[in-house]
Amino acid sequence: MWTFVFVCLSISVTGLHGAFTVTVNPWVKVKENEGVDLKCSYTADFGASPRIEWKFKDLKGSQVYIYFDNKPTAQYEGRIAMVEGGLRFNKVTRADTGDYDCEVSGNSGYDEKTIKLTVLVPPSKPVSRIPSSVTTGSNVRLTCYDADGSPPSTYRWYKDNTPLPEDPSKFPSFKNLTYKRNVFNGNLEFPSISKLDTGSYFCEASNGEGAPQCGDTVNMEVHDKDNSQTTAVSSSLSTENKDVPSKTTLNHMLEKQYGVFLLQEVKLKLEIQKLELEMTKLKLEIQKLGQEP
C-alpha cells in the first residue's frame, strides 16, 4: 500500500519537472526610443540547442516573424539581437507595440508564450469635432481623438471650463443635463439636446504618460428651429412684389396693348386696300396699251 503511493507521487513529481515549458514576463512596458529585453526562458528538456523563433502581431492583427532560422528577419536586422534569456530591442518605436510570441521546440517538445509589449507615448493634442450651432431636440455627437497616445488615451470633456461627470444625474449642477460620455472613445453625445447645453466645450486626452493634452475650445449654441430662412424668403417675396403690377393695372395694360394691336391691324388693312387699288390701276393701263394700234 505504501509502495503504491510512493510510486504515484514519484510519477507526479517527475511529470511536473519533465514538461516542456516556456516562461516569460507577460507584460512589458518601455518608453519610446529606449531599449528593452523580452525575457524568454525554457526548461532543460528542450535540449542544449533548441529551436527558438519569435513572432510579432501588431495592434491591427498583422503577424510576422522577427527572428527565424537563428537570425533576425530582414526588416529587423540591426534592431534586435538574441541575448541570454531572451530578445533585445536596441530602440523601440510606437509601431512596436503588440504581442510577441516566443516559440521553443526541441527533443520532440514544443511550447510558446506571449509577451504584451506596450511602448509608452504621451498623448498629442486631440482632434475634436464640435458643432457651433445646433437645433433643440436633435441628436448631437461631439468627438475627440488622440492619434499618438500609447497606451490609448482616455478622454474627459469640459463645458465652460468645468469637467463634465460621467453620470450627470449624480451631481446637482448637472442633473438637468442628459448627455452620455464615453471615456474610451472620446464621444460626448446628446440624445435630445436642449438650450441648457449651450456653452463652450473642449476635450482632454490623457494616458498617464506626460501631461494631458487639450483640444480647441468651441462655443456651441443651441437654438430653437430656425425660422429666419422662412422669414428671409417671405421678405424677399415682399420686395419682389413691389415691382409686380396689380391685377387692375395689368388689365389696363392689356387693354391698352390690345387697342394698339387693333389700330395696327386697321392700318395694315388700309395699306392692303391701297395696294390692291394700285394693282387695279396698273392692270387697266396694261389693257389700254394693248388695245392701241
Side-chain angles (χ1 to χ4, degrees):
M1 179 69 178
W2 285 101
T3 303
F4 175 75
V5 173
F6 176 78
V7 171
C8 289
L9 289 175
S10 298
I11 293 174
S12 177
V13 171
T14 303
L16 285 173
H17 289 285
F20 293 90
T21 304
V22 171
T23 304
V24 299
N25 179 4
W27 303 93
V28 177
K29 295 182 179 181
V30 60
K31 293 183 180 295
E32 189 173 34
N33 297 320
E34 292 185 358
V36 65
D37 287 350
L38 303 182
K39 297 294 186 180
C40 178
S41 59
Y42 47 88
T43 51
D45 44 0
F46 283 104
S49 300
R51 182 181 181 89
I52 302 175
E53 296 169 348
W54 286 82
K55 287 190 295 187
F56 167 60
K57 182 167 67 175
D58 63 21
L59 297 179
K60 295 180 180 179
S62 177
Q63 190 171 51
V64 296
Y65 276 102
I66 63 174
Y67 190 87
F68 184 79
D69 198 19
N70 293 320
K71 62 182 178 180
T73 54
Q75 67 189 96
Y76 283 86
E77 283 186 18
R79 295 196 61 214
I80 64 172
M82 287 295 293
V83 295
E84 184 178 356
L87 182 75
R88 173 170 294 168
F89 269 93
N90 298 327
K91 184 170 68 174
V92 294
T93 70
R94 63 194 66 187
D96 294 318
T97 293
D99 294 347
Y100 291 81
D101 290 341
C102 176
E103 303 176 350
V104 183
S105 58
N107 289 342
S108 301
Y110 174 86
D111 192 22
E112 67 174 284
K113 291 293 188 301
T114 300
I115 300 171
K116 292 186 176 294
L117 175 66
T118 301
V119 179
L120 305 175
V121 182
S124 59
K125 179 180 178 180
V127 176
S128 56
R129 296 180 62 185
I130 307 169
S132 59
S133 179
V134 294
T135 304
T136 54
S138 58
N139 184 302
V140 178
R141 178 181 296 171
L142 282 59
T143 63
C144 181
Y145 179 66
D146 158 38
D148 296 318
S150 177
S153 290
T154 56
Y155 302 91
R156 174 180 288 186
W157 279 92
Y158 291 77
K159 177 189 176 187
D160 299 328
N161 292 318
T162 301
L164 294 175
E166 275 194 73
D167 186 354
S169 64
K170 296 181 179 179
F171 298 84
S173 301
F174 300 92
K175 65 180 181 180
N176 293 323
L177 304 181
T178 57
Y179 62 81
K180 296 179 180 179
R181 184 166 73 87
N182 190 316
V183 297
F184 300 107
N185 65 19
N187 290 347
L188 177 64
E189 187 170 356
F190 299 87
S192 181
I193 203 163
S194 71
K195 288 188 175 182
L196 292 175
D197 299 312
T198 291
S200 295
Y201 290 83
F202 71 88
C203 68
E204 177 187 83
S206 62
N207 68 348
E209 299 298 322
Q213 298 294 313
C214 297
D216 293 329
T217 300
V218 176
N219 188 57
M220 183 176 71
E221 293 287 342
V222 183
H223 51 74
D224 292 326
K225 187 174 182 180
D226 190 2
N227 295 319
S228 60
Q229 186 175 359
T230 304
T231 304
V233 172
S234 177
S235 175
S236 176
L237 290 174
S238 299
T239 303
E240 293 174 1
N241 287 339
K242 292 180 182 179
D243 299 325
V244 178
S246 65
K247 185 176 181 180
T248 303
T249 303
L250 283 173
N251 289 336
H252 285 307
M253 291 174 66
L254 290 173
E255 290 175 359
K256 184 177 180 180
Q257 193 69 29
Y258 182 66
V260 172
F261 289 152
L262 288 178
L263 181 60
Q264 289 178 346
E265 183 181 7
V266 171
K267 288 182 178 181
L268 184 59
K269 287 181 178 180
L270 289 174
E271 290 294 331
I272 292 173
Q273 291 176 0
K274 186 177 179 180
L275 288 173
E276 289 177 347
L277 182 59
E278 291 293 332
M279 290 180 66
T280 301
K281 287 181 180 181
L282 183 59
K283 287 180 181 179
L284 290 173
E285 290 292 333
I286 293 173
Q287 289 178 358
K288 185 177 179 181
L289 292 172
Q291 293 175 357
E292 289 181 358

